Amino acid sequence: MNKKAKYLLFSLFILLTIPDLTYATGLDNIVIGNDPTATVDSVRLLIFMTVLTLIPSILIMTTAFTRIIVTLSFLRSGLGSQQTPPNQILIGLALFLTIFIMQPTIQTIKTESFDPFTNNEITQEEAIERAEIPMKEFMLKQTREKDIALFLRVSNNENVNDPLDLPISVVIPAFAISELRTAFSIGFIIYIPFLVIDMVVASILMSMGMFMLPPVLISLPFKLLLFVLVDGWYLIVESLVESFI
């Protein structure tokens, strides 16, 4: 695992491991048998392994991954190309675009949280608190106030003056539904030119009396040609990246 992957893993880990979860459980006070240190280390290892299983969910819910993968799925559906590109290609492209977009946030977490923690300059609790700030800043920048107000109202926690004081349990779901809304808006725009081609081809086939020929077989080459001529992949990726700036 290279250094960037380690930094990403640590940032995602410390985002989920909220201080209250770790310290409220009193793990440091657990004593079993005659070796309390080994017991505490084993419990921490168990918690860490549990968190590792949640890494995919953290990646999806707290980064740019949701908007990118949903948009790419709409693109493939609009083209009507079935399983081309395959899911592995779309997920891989979405993952690396996510790393590219999140790189400034990851670098901030590395500088302000990860490096001081590895150098024993701050405690784990302080590292988590520092890491939450850049993650919140990224998510809040992409989140609608309406969505934040919804979860604040539901949680009966509306008296928050500073956005960075919002609990992470409010920021993450608000960010997620904002990302879904944005992705669906982009998907609607992507669908329009492909829908026009489908309608034109279907009308021509009906006027020629070719009712038994599926319009998708005829429209697919034209949609692919249009997508290639306008340099569609460049436009899609450019729009996704710039939507986070």
Side-chain angles (χ1 to χ4, degrees), residues 64-65 68-69 71-73 75 85-101 227 232-234 236-237 240-241:
F65 186 85
I68 296 172
I69 193 62
T71 300
L72 294 178
S73 298
L75 171 62
N87 291 331
Q88 292 86 343
I89 299 298
L90 293 184
I91 293 174
L93 177 60
L95 179 61
F96 282 101
L97 285 177
T98 299
I99 295 174
F100 176 79
I101 293 170
F227 191 70
W233 286 111
Y234 175 86
I236 294 294
V237 172
L240 285 172
V241 172

Side-chain angles (χ1 to χ4, degrees), residues 61-195:
M61 298 300 294
T62 62
T63 65
F65 186 85
T66 298
R67 183 187 305 184
I68 296 172
I69 193 62
V70 172
T71 300
L72 294 178
S73 298
F74 273 120
L75 171 62
R76 185 174 65 180
S77 180
L79 284 171
S81 57
Q82 302 301 324
Q83 295 298 318
T84 304
N87 291 331
Q88 292 86 343
I89 299 298
L90 293 184
I91 293 174
L93 177 60
L95 179 61
F96 282 101
L97 285 177
T98 299
I99 295 174
F100 176 79
I101 293 170
M102 297 297 297
Q103 193 167 5
T105 303
I106 296 172
Q107 184 63 34
T108 303
I109 293 175
K110 171 186 177 297
T111 303
E112 299 181 1
S113 176
F114 184 80
D115 288 345
F117 176 72
T118 55
N119 294 330
N120 295 322
E121 297 175 2
I122 59 176
T123 64
Q124 179 184 351
E125 184 177 13
E126 292 174 333
I128 294 170
E129 292 175 351
R130 291 188 182 186
E132 282 186 358
I133 295 176
M135 289 300 300
K136 283 184 179 179
E137 289 177 345
F138 170 80
M139 289 189 285
L140 290 172
K141 185 178 179 181
Q142 310 299 329
T143 307
R144 299 187 304 169
E145 294 182 3
K146 180 179 180 180
D147 298 326
I148 295 176
L150 168 64
F151 289 98
L152 282 176
R153 185 175 68 254
V154 173
S155 62
N156 296 320
N157 190 16
E158 300 184 51
N159 297 323
V160 178
N161 297 323
D162 188 354
L164 292 179
D165 292 335
L166 290 169
I168 200 72
S169 59
V170 170
V171 177
I172 292 178
F175 170 74
I177 63 175
S178 294
E179 287 293 280
L180 288 174
R181 181 185 182 277
T182 303
F184 273 65
S185 300
I186 298 174
F188 172 76
I189 297 174
I190 292 174
Y191 250 97
I192 292 177
F194 299 139
L195 179 61

Side-chain angles (χ1 to χ4, degrees), residues 1-8 96:
M1 182 181 294
N2 57 31
K3 291 184 178 180
K4 290 186 177 180
K6 290 181 179 179
Y7 296 147
L8 176 60
F96 282 101

